Amino acid sequence: MRISPALENNTFEATELSAPKKSWHHTLIGHPLRTADAPHQTIGKTVGLAVFASDALSSTAYATQEIMMILAIAGTGALRNVFPISLAIFTLMVIVTISYEQTIHAYPGGGGAYIVARDNLGELPAQTAGAALLTDYILTVAVSISSGVAQIASAFPELYPYRVAIAVGMVFLVTLINLRGVKESGTIFAIPTYFFVIAMTATVILGFLRVFTGTLGQVVNPPELSLERAAEMVTPFLLLHAFASGTSALTGIEAISNGITAFREPRSRNAGITLIWMSSILGSLFLGISFLSSRIAAVPSEGETIISQLARTVFNGQGFPYLALIGGTAVILIMAANTAFADFPRLGALHAGDGFLPRQLTFRGSRLVYSWGIVALAILASLLIILFQASVTRLIPLYAIGVFLSFSLSQAGMAKRWWKSGRLKPGEEVVEPGSVIKLDRHWLFKMVINGFGAVCTFVVMIVFAITKFQDGAWIIIFLIPTMVTAFFAIHNHYKTLARKLSLEGFKSNSRVTRHRVVLFIAGVHKGSLIALNYARTMSMDVTAIHVSIDPNETQKVREKWELYGQGTRLVILDSPYRLLVEPMMEYINKLLATRQPTELLTVVVPQFVPAHWWENLLHNQTALLLRFALLFKPGLVILEVPYQV
Amino acid sequence: MRISPALENNTFEATELSAPKKSWHHTLIGHPLRTADAPHQTIGKTVGLAVFASDALSSTAYATQEIMMILAIAGTGALRNVFPISLAIFTLMVIVTISYEQTIHAYPGGGGAYIVARDNLGELPAQTAGAALLTDYILTVAVSISSGVAQIASAFPELYPYRVAIAVGMVFLVTLINLRGVKESGTIFAIPTYFFVIAMTATVILGFLRVFTGTLGQVVNPPELSLERAAEMVTPFLLLHAFASGTSALTGIEAISNGITAFREPRSRNAGITLIWMSSILGSLFLGISFLSSRIAAVPSEGETIISQLARTVFNGQGFPYLALIGGTAVILIMAANTAFADFPRLGALHAGDGFLPRQLTFRGSRLVYSWGIVALAILASLLIILFQASVTRLIPLYAIGVFLSFSLSQAGMAKRWWKSGRLKPGEEVVEPGSVIKLDRHWLFKMVINGFGAVCTFVVMIVFAITKFQDGAWIIIFLIPTMVTAFFAIHNHYKTLARKLSLEGFKSNSRVTRHRVVLFIAGVHKGSLIALNYARTMSMDVTAIHVSIDPNETQKVREKWELYGQGTRLVILDSPYRLLVEPMMEYINKLLATRQPTELLTVVVPQFVPAHWWENLLHNQTALLLRFALLFKPGLVILEVPYQV
């Protein structure tokens, strides 16, 4: 920092702040970045697909399996329903994709459910959508990492007992990468994402070729079907239940709409094209995997994943192609958590910016990322993994419900927006915080699409909540309203504070008729006399206070004060119960009780500052205790005058 | 507290401090006591024996057993040596008792090893004696409680696995009793101490009667002899080793000489008589138990104590008399810890008063006891119990070495004192901190007695250190010098501090040529303007500082400051790396670098004080961070102006 001779000027600016010093954590997360470097940190379509698609694409690794897990309750015969159910989910996927494509173009500044709901439906729906998405991002991390570890454990069963520790370690790794910042993590993630897409596509195509040539058999040595519940009939409820589990395939589709600002210009176009690519890949892989799994009679199991069974059947054993696919799947799953790490802090910052979450979430760390949000996400996801022992099947009932709530609110908001657009005259504009509304010729058509999407996703959410209520969905149904309540409590705090601090009608009442200074002294020595000198520069109205515990000590203080006290009045407070802070507090309370409004009261405490920390143990921390006791007293200032030796 | 209208008088004293409010911990440890109540808290001989003798007497419960534990290494045949060894220890006991009787009369104000060594031998021997005694008190608690739990586990073997938890619970109980204060704990302890003395005496007498009538057989079903080491020969080393273990019988004899001030007047006479009673009871019981244990062929074991084997042999089974003795022994052992709880804090306060331990140890708590010392002892003893799994045999090698070091130093000091006494003329007096030396007619005789005691106990200490070095004595041999070093480091700190704070040659340099006030503001609102007003009462030389992270925010601050800043100059610090505290620190460092000696620098930070603690989570703790960063900067005052809403 260069302090120019203009130090005293009213408009002085010290611009040359020296760069932060090298520190241990810079080697982990990289050297600090300037705020001015921020706009360069954007990405193109190719890297964008890698960053935002990993969440959506990776769900192909578990969605089919989770459908089968539910169907298996009615026995292996019921497993043939997996493909029809997958088709229904595919249809839903098409509807949601079209809806979001419209959203991306309407909200080039980022059109997550939160912003769309806020601009079109109001604060309560917006906070609800936000809460739903935040819980969902945490679950994305927990589910993806758990599934990734499950893939690894399928290939190397001896790792199964250590799955929780491995999963938490993975969360830590992804956290570190994200603390470095989005661009670098994009580059790191591009290669494996494309590797997974190619490997999985190749597997599915080879599988189909073998089906058509009639050479694809059934799984050799499938894992045993673990029937926790008694065999049931294939009821409509069971089918809906299985469908609900499969909707986890849709999670992650919304990621791009939240992250439009991370794309290179033209943002909306780039983001929209990326979305369509992503959904096409996702849909085809999901359908292909479901079809083939059913064909080879794969059996859902916690011990070996469906992907593993499919791969070793298609490739005739666990050779290199098998390992490549399992490895690729595991890596993309673990990286899928990265999508949540990109979006959770961004959404948290949006909430915080609107005053519904602590302001600290809007601060960007030394690497220009929202460090607080990243760390919070890492902690919460790790807790979930530990609590649910890294089991995907146990985590799934908590999962997609939040996503569908936000889908539904977002599309309802979009429908409302098209309706507003239809009310406008040509050339007329309505400017909202998140976007600008103009008349759209196709507003009715677009409104119907988004409205239909809203209804569909709402129905799916209800189905999910009912069929999975007792498996864990109740936790989320309870959690989201709790979060919304907390958000409004926080908002209320900031609003109240802003109103109370507002300068509207503020009269600068700087007239002070009396500035009374109370100086506490434990003894008469250099430290207390330095404090006395300081107190006398503030006001001539100084009273020294000594709490008397030992009469001999008090007599000494009294005599020395006659000599060195510069005539300042000394009040002795007797303390028959050998208390220090309480008599001081009582004295101050008496002073406050008789105080005039234009009177200032300052409490000065000499504070010994040792050369070594351990020397603190050899002294009373009276100043500290007094400070805590006085912190909540309105209208007085407490001040420690330090003396170093 | 009554604040009279004389508030402004120089000699005002606010004597009527209201008694402390009822609090949860008063129900545990009793209502606060006034300092003026202190002299009434003394005790007579009967209660004194109960308070101070429990340590010494209770060692009869394990001393015999620990001798046998060592002898058993050479097989059951070696156990017949237990009585001759006990006789040797008895002789040592007589020597030490006579020595201490002389000490009590010479030091009516309390003549522990620390004071005697300090007055006659100098600071280093005194600190060594003190360190030895302090470690020993901690071990007294650990050994006594562990042995008490072992007695209980002998009667109820199903409790054996929970012995550590039970022992720690007992420590907690004794701690509570001691936090209430000495008189009450004396009363509580008198009944069980006398119960033990009567029960144990009755058992020994009945045992001897049965020996003389030839009706005392051997132990039925003795515990198995656990031979950890290969059978050895009965070597002189083994006999000395067993002797060393038995010297634990002497621990506690010094307790009365430390605690003379707790006795009613005439102190020395009362304390001296109590000492002789105590030693007589201790010696007879110890010899009796050793004789009978050998006679009934008791076998030392961690599972069943010797006392338990003796009792069920004398009483022919585990009926009511057996349970009464075991119960009484267990209770006295647990209460023996009380002796240490009476003496450890008192000795700690002596060290602290001389500036060798933190001053806080001299403060008496609301019940007039040295609460800090009591709590410290409880924590350290609990740690030892957990570390050594409440095993007496594993704790014993750490035990008596400290006691014998302090015995030896104390008696050497006494010998030196008699020698000084012999140099005086009749009527002449030397006044020392702890006592007054006059010519004593029998000075030569008394010097020989104390000198002989010093030599004997020194030799025993050396024997102990050598024979038990590898069993754990090395810990104490390492610990005591470390403690002494720490004591001198603390002493050095206080001496240096006192010199630096000394007012000798102090010139009151209250001339201040400039008082510069730096005010940090995050924004312009009521809170920062209240701080500005305050700053302006201190000095007209106020500079407001704003750290700029967001340029838009900074522009707003600049504009609002024009309006509300009362013309105070505003400095904007650009922070391209989005840091808050670091730019402030850099600015302050620059100011400090160019400061004149007569210039004062005060840093003012507006501090938001929330109505509820959780609201703190919604705000940056900039003031707190800045405070920590500035605490070690010499020569500036930091001051938070609070604003409550």
Side-chain angles (χ1 to χ4, degrees):
Chain A
M1 189 172 73
R2 192 183 54 209
I3 302 261
S4 78
L7 189 66
E8 314 291 302
N9 288 0
N10 208 9
T11 55
F12 169 77
E13 309 212 1
T15 44
E16 289 300 303
L17 180 71
S18 43
K21 288 195 203 78
K22 268 270 170 209
S23 162
W24 61 271
H25 67 269
H26 294 157
T27 51
L28 275 181
I29 63 163
H31 200 72
L33 296 176
R34 288 171 164 259
T35 312
D37 297 337
H40 308 300
Q41 299 290 101
T42 59
I43 51 181
K45 289 194 288 289
T46 323
V47 174
L49 186 67
V51 169
F52 291 107
S54 52
D55 178 13
L57 294 183
S58 69
S59 51
T60 56
Y62 51 81
T64 303
Q65 172 162 346
E66 295 305 322
I67 299 172
M68 295 170 89
M69 276 278 187
I70 304 299
L71 291 175
I73 296 169
T76 40
L79 292 179
R80 63 170 186 279
N81 293 301
V82 69
F83 189 68
I85 289 174
S86 296
L87 267 181
I89 292 167
F90 178 79
T91 314
L92 192 62
M93 206 179 284
V94 173
I95 296 167
V96 170
T97 303
I98 296 171
S99 292
Y100 266 102
E101 224 281 327
Q102 294 190 165
T103 307
I104 285 173
H105 284 276
Y107 285 87
Y114 177 71
I115 291 175
V116 176
R118 186 188 65 188
D119 284 4
N120 300 297
L121 302 176
E123 266 179 0
L124 184 62
Q127 295 307 318
T128 309
L133 277 173
L134 288 172
T135 51
D136 223 73
Y137 289 140
I138 301 165
L139 279 154
T140 297
V141 176
V143 168
S144 302
I145 300 261
S146 298
S147 176
V149 174
Q151 307 293 343
I152 296 169
S154 297
F156 306 99
E158 59 275 20
L159 293 178
Y160 187 76
Y162 310 106
R163 61 196 186 284
V164 176
I166 296 173
V168 172
M170 301 284 190
V171 172
F172 183 72
L173 202 75
V174 176
T175 306
L176 270 193
I177 292 168
N178 274 278
L179 286 174
R180 289 192 75 93
V182 67
K183 178 139 189 187
E184 281 171 55
S185 64
T187 315
I188 292 177
F189 282 37
I191 298 164
T193 302
Y194 286 109
F195 179 82
F196 168 78
V197 171
I198 291 163
M200 190 56 99
T201 308
T203 308
V204 170
I205 289 174
L206 181 62
F208 273 96
L209 284 178
R210 293 191 59 184
V211 169
F212 292 131
T213 57
T215 56
L216 191 69
Q218 294 207 335
V219 187
V220 184
N221 289 330
E224 261 185 64
L225 192 61
S226 64
L227 287 177
E228 289 182 3
R229 285 174 264 193
E232 289 178 19
M233 297 285 289
V234 179
T235 57
F237 181 85
L238 189 78
L239 291 177
L240 284 175
H241 195 175
F243 168 81
S245 280
T247 55
S248 58
L250 271 79
T251 56
I253 287 193
E254 82 293 350
I256 291 176
S257 69
N258 281 314
I260 305 172
T261 49
F263 278 89
R264 210 167 281 151
E265 294 287 0
R267 284 176 180 174
S268 289
R269 208 183 115 78
N270 282 333
I273 292 171
T274 309
L275 173 67
I276 289 168
W277 282 2
M278 180 179 86
S279 286
S280 312
I281 299 169
L282 169 63
S284 355
L285 288 182
F286 173 59
L287 278 183
I289 292 167
S290 289
F291 177 80
L292 291 172
S293 301
S294 177
R295 186 76 183 219
I296 61 164
V299 174
S301 147
E302 289 264 8
E304 188 186 4
T305 63
I306 291 290
I307 298 293
S308 169
Q309 296 174 46
L310 178 62
R312 66 184 166 88
T313 310
V314 169
F315 297 123
N316 283 328
Q318 306 191 325
F320 173 76
Y322 167 85
L323 285 177
L325 180 69
I326 292 297
T329 310
V331 173
I332 202 183
L333 275 163
I334 284 150
M335 293 183 325
N338 191 56
T339 308
F341 272 96
D343 274 348
F344 179 94
R346 221 186 296 260
L347 181 56
L350 271 176
H351 276 272
D354 290 346
F356 286 92
L357 272 178
R359 285 274 156 82
Q360 291 93 311
L361 293 174
T362 64
F363 299 158
R364 282 180 295 173
S366 65
R367 294 287 293 178
L368 283 169
V369 294
Y370 299 108
S371 322
W372 282 100
I374 291 174
V375 172
L377 175 60
I379 292 171
L380 292 169
S382 299
L383 280 179
L384 269 183
I385 289 173
I386 294 166
L387 228 63
F388 287 85
Q389 290 292 300
S391 159
V392 177
T393 304
R394 286 169 66 191
L395 282 165
I396 278 286
L398 282 69
Y399 197 11
I401 193 164
V403 144
F404 277 91
L405 179 54
S406 73
F407 280 172
S408 186
L409 285 166
S410 144
Q411 281 155 53
M414 283 303 292
K416 177 93 182 285
R417 188 176 183 279
W418 297 127
W419 188 81
K420 284 194 275 182
S421 156
R423 298 277 82 72
L424 297 177
K425 296 192 192 84
E428 206 178 352
E429 280 187 359
V430 175
V431 179
E432 284 182 348
S435 72
V436 178
I437 310 183
K438 294 178 193 165
L439 175 62
D440 190 295
R441 277 193 305 155
H442 308 295
W443 70 269
L444 190 62
F445 176 70
K446 290 181 172 173
M447 185 176 85
V448 169
I449 287 183
N450 280 127
F452 182 67
V455 172
C456 287
T457 48
F458 184 74
V459 169
V460 169
M461 187 193 71
I462 297 295
V463 167
F464 197 103
I466 293 170
T467 57
K468 296 200 164 288
F469 187 81
Q470 64 178 12
D471 296 335
W474 65 268
I475 299 174
I476 304 298
I477 291 168
F478 170 79
L479 186 66
I480 290 177
T482 311
M483 285 172 72
V484 172
T485 310
F487 290 175
F488 276 96
I490 290 170
H491 192 56
N492 194 44
H493 166 79
Y494 283 126
K495 270 206 311 209
T496 312
L497 184 64
R499 202 180 58 242
K500 293 221 172 141
L501 291 182
S502 158
L503 293 173
E504 222 153 287
F506 177 74
K507 272 181 294 182
S508 179
N509 183 16
S510 60
R511 192 175 63 94
V512 174
T513 53
R514 180 178 185 184
H515 186 182
R516 181 181 262 176
V517 177
V518 174
L519 166 69
F520 283 108
I521 54 165
V524 183
H525 49 63
K526 260 187 205 159
S528 44
L529 294 189
I530 288 170
L532 173 65
N533 282 345
Y534 187 89
R536 285 167 59 90
T537 64
M538 300 178 74
S539 168
M540 283 300 112
D541 186 359
V542 178
T543 309
I545 309 285
H546 176 70
V547 177
S548 165
I549 290 175
D550 177 351
N552 301 330
E553 198 59 40
T554 304
Q555 191 50 37
K556 266 193 231 162
V557 167
R558 206 193 286 273
E559 283 162 12
K560 277 184 161 179
W561 195 255
E562 293 285 339
L563 216 63
Y564 295 101
Q566 302 176 32
T568 312
R569 64 181 163 268
L570 173 69
V571 172
I572 308 282
L573 301 180
D574 260 7
S575 177
Y577 295 94
R578 299 166 305 285
L579 300 166
L580 262 174
V581 172
E582 289 78 357
M584 297 182 186
M585 285 299 293
E586 227 176 308
Y587 184 81
I588 289 167
N589 282 338
K590 293 274 175 183
L591 290 186
L592 284 175
T594 59
R595 189 174 62 144
Q596 300 299 313
T598 55
E599 206 176 304
L600 274 184
L601 178 59
T602 300
V603 176
V604 176
V605 186
Q607 162 83 66
F608 167 63
V609 177
H612 311 99
W613 68 266
W614 60 266
E615 293 174 347
N616 270 320
L617 302 175
L618 305 177
H619 298 270
N620 292 322
Q621 300 305 320
T622 318
L624 208 67
L625 290 174
L626 199 62
R627 153 159 235 94
F628 277 113
L630 291 176
L631 195 62
F632 288 87
K633 286 257 161 248
L636 62 83
V637 172
I638 173 164
L639 176 161
E640 290 112 3
V641 179
Y643 57 98
Q644 282 101 339
V645 293
Chain B
M1 189 173 74
R2 194 182 55 205
I3 303 264
S4 78
L7 190 63
E8 314 293 300
N9 290 359
N10 209 9
T11 55
F12 168 76
E13 308 212 5
T15 45
E16 290 298 305
L17 179 72
S18 41
K21 289 197 202 77
K22 267 272 173 210
S23 161
W24 61 269
H25 68 269
H26 294 157
T27 51
L28 275 180
I29 63 163
H31 200 71
L33 297 175
R34 287 170 166 261
T35 313
D37 297 338
H40 307 301
Q41 299 291 100
T42 58
I43 52 181
K45 288 194 289 292
T46 323
V47 174
L49 185 68
V51 169
F52 291 106
S54 51
D55 178 12
L57 294 183
S58 68
S59 49
T60 56
Y62 51 83
T64 303
Q65 172 161 346
E66 296 306 322
I67 299 172
M68 294 170 88
M69 277 279 186
I70 304 299
L71 290 175
I73 296 169
T76 41
L79 291 177
R80 66 171 184 279
N81 293 300
V82 68
F83 189 68
I85 289 175
S86 297
L87 266 181
I89 291 168
F90 179 79
T91 313
L92 191 63
M93 207 180 282
V94 172
I95 295 166
V96 170
T97 303
I98 295 170
S99 291
Y100 267 103
E101 224 279 327
Q102 292 190 167
T103 307
I104 286 173
H105 284 276
Y107 285 86
Y114 177 71
I115 289 175
V116 175
R118 186 189 64 189
D119 284 4
N120 299 296
L121 301 176
E123 265 180 0
L124 184 62
Q127 295 307 317
T128 309
L133 276 173
L134 287 173
T135 51
D136 223 75
Y137 289 140
I138 301 166
L139 280 154
T140 298
V141 176
V143 168
S144 301
I145 300 260
S146 297
S147 176
V149 174
Q151 306 295 344
I152 297 170
S154 297
F156 307 99
E158 60 274 20
L159 293 179
Y160 188 75
Y162 310 108
R163 62 197 184 284
V164 176
I166 296 172
V168 172
M170 301 286 190
V171 172
F172 183 71
L173 203 75
V174 177
T175 306
L176 270 194
I177 291 167
N178 275 278
L179 287 174
R180 291 191 73 95
V182 68
K183 177 137 189 186
E184 282 171 55
S185 65
T187 315
I188 292 176
F189 283 36
I191 298 164
T193 303
Y194 285 108
F195 178 82
F196 167 77
V197 171
I198 292 164
M200 190 55 98
T201 309
T203 308
V204 170
I205 289 174
L206 181 62
F208 274 96
L209 283 177
R210 291 190 59 184
V211 169
F212 292 131
T213 56
T215 58
L216 190 69
Q218 294 207 336
V219 187
V220 184
N221 289 329
E224 262 184 63
L225 192 60
S226 64
L227 286 179
E228 289 183 4
R229 285 174 264 192
E232 290 178 17
M233 296 285 288
V234 180
T235 58
F237 181 85
L238 189 78
L239 291 176
L240 283 175
H241 194 175
F243 169 80
S245 280
T247 55
S248 58
L250 272 79
T251 57
I253 286 192
E254 83 293 351
I256 290 176
S257 69
N258 281 314
I260 305 172
T261 49
F263 279 89
R264 209 166 283 152
E265 295 286 1
R267 284 175 181 174
S268 289
R269 207 182 115 79
N270 282 334
I273 292 171
T274 310
L275 172 67
I276 290 167
W277 282 2
M278 182 180 84
S279 287
S280 313
I281 299 170
L282 169 62
S284 355
L285 288 181
F286 173 60
L287 278 184
I289 291 166
S290 289
F291 177 81
L292 290 171
S293 301
S294 177
R295 184 75 183 219
I296 63 167
V299 174
S301 146
E302 288 263 12
E304 189 187 3
T305 62
I306 291 290
I307 298 294
S308 167
Q309 296 173 46
L310 178 63
R312 66 184 167 86
T313 310
V314 170
F315 297 124
N316 282 328
Q318 304 192 325
F320 173 75
Y322 168 84
L323 284 178
L325 180 70
I326 292 298
T329 310
V331 173
I332 202 182
L333 275 163
I334 284 148
M335 292 182 324
N338 190 56
T339 308
F341 272 97
D343 275 348
F344 180 94
R346 221 186 297 260
L347 182 56
L350 271 176
H351 277 272
D354 291 345
F356 287 91
L357 270 178
R359 285 274 156 83
Q360 291 93 312
L361 293 174
T362 64
F363 299 160
R364 281 180 297 174
S366 65
R367 295 286 293 179
L368 283 169
V369 294
Y370 300 109
S371 322
W372 282 100
I374 291 173
V375 172
L377 175 61
I379 292 170
L380 293 168
S382 299
L383 280 178
L384 269 184
I385 288 173
I386 295 167
L387 227 63
F388 288 84
Q389 291 292 298
S391 159
V392 176
T393 304
R394 288 170 63 191
L395 282 164
I396 278 286
L398 281 70
Y399 199 11
I401 193 165
V403 143
F404 278 90
L405 179 53
S406 73
F407 280 170
S408 187
L409 285 166
S410 143
Q411 281 155 53
M414 283 303 293
K416 176 93 181 286
R417 190 176 182 278
W418 297 127
W419 187 82
K420 283 195 275 183
S421 156
R423 300 274 83 73
L424 296 178
K425 297 193 190 84
E428 205 178 352
E429 279 187 359
V430 175
V431 180
E432 284 183 347
S435 72
V436 178
I437 310 183
K438 293 177 194 166
L439 173 63
D440 191 294
R441 278 193 303 157
H442 308 294
W443 70 270
L444 190 64
F445 175 71
K446 288 181 174 175
M447 186 178 85
V448 169
I449 287 184
N450 281 125
F452 182 67
V455 172
C456 287
T457 48
F458 184 75
V459 169
V460 170
M461 187 194 71
I462 298 295
V463 167
F464 198 103
I466 292 169
T467 57
K468 297 199 166 285
F469 187 82
Q470 62 178 12
D471 296 336
W474 64 269
I475 298 173
I476 303 298
I477 291 168
F478 171 80
L479 186 65
I480 288 176
T482 311
M483 284 173 73
V484 172
T485 311
F487 290 175
F488 277 96
I490 291 170
H491 192 55
N492 194 43
H493 167 79
Y494 283 126
K495 270 205 312 211
T496 311
L497 185 63
R499 201 181 59 241
K500 293 221 174 146
L501 291 182
S502 158
L503 292 173
E504 223 154 285
F506 178 76
K507 272 182 297 183
S508 179
N509 181 16
S510 60
R511 193 176 62 96
V512 173
T513 53
R514 183 179 184 185
H515 186 180
R516 182 181 259 177
V517 178
V518 173
L519 167 68
F520 283 109
I521 55 166
V524 183
H525 48 63
K526 260 186 206 161
S528 46
L529 294 189
I530 289 169
L532 173 64
N533 283 344
Y534 187 89
R536 285 168 60 92
T537 65
M538 299 177 74
S539 168
M540 282 302 110
D541 187 358
V542 179
T543 310
I545 310 285
H546 175 72
V547 176
S548 165
I549 289 174
D550 177 353
N552 300 329
E553 198 58 42
T554 305
Q555 192 47 41
K556 267 192 228 161
V557 166
R558 205 192 285 272
E559 283 163 12
K560 276 184 160 179
W561 195 256
E562 293 286 337
L563 218 62
Y564 294 101
Q566 303 176 31
T568 313
R569 62 180 166 269
L570 173 68
V571 171
I572 309 280
L573 301 180
D574 260 6
S575 178
Y577 296 95
R578 300 166 304 285
L579 300 166
L580 262 175
V581 172
E582 289 79 356
M584 298 181 186
M585 286 298 294
E586 226 176 309
Y587 185 81
I588 290 168
N589 283 338
K590 293 275 175 185
L591 291 186
L592 284 174
T594 60
R595 193 173 59 144
Q596 301 298 312
T598 56
E599 209 177 302
L600 274 184
L601 178 58
T602 300
V603 176
V604 176
V605 186
Q607 163 82 64
F608 168 64
V609 177
H612 312 97
W613 68 267
W614 60 266
E615 292 174 349
N616 271 320
L617 302 176
L618 305 177
H619 297 269
N620 294 321
Q621 301 304 320
T622 318
L624 208 67
L625 290 175
L626 198 61
R627 154 159 235 93
F628 278 112
L630 291 176
L631 195 61
F632 289 86
K633 287 253 162 254
L636 62 81
V637 172
I638 173 163
L639 174 162
E640 290 112 3
V641 179
Y643 55 99
Q644 283 101 340
V645 293

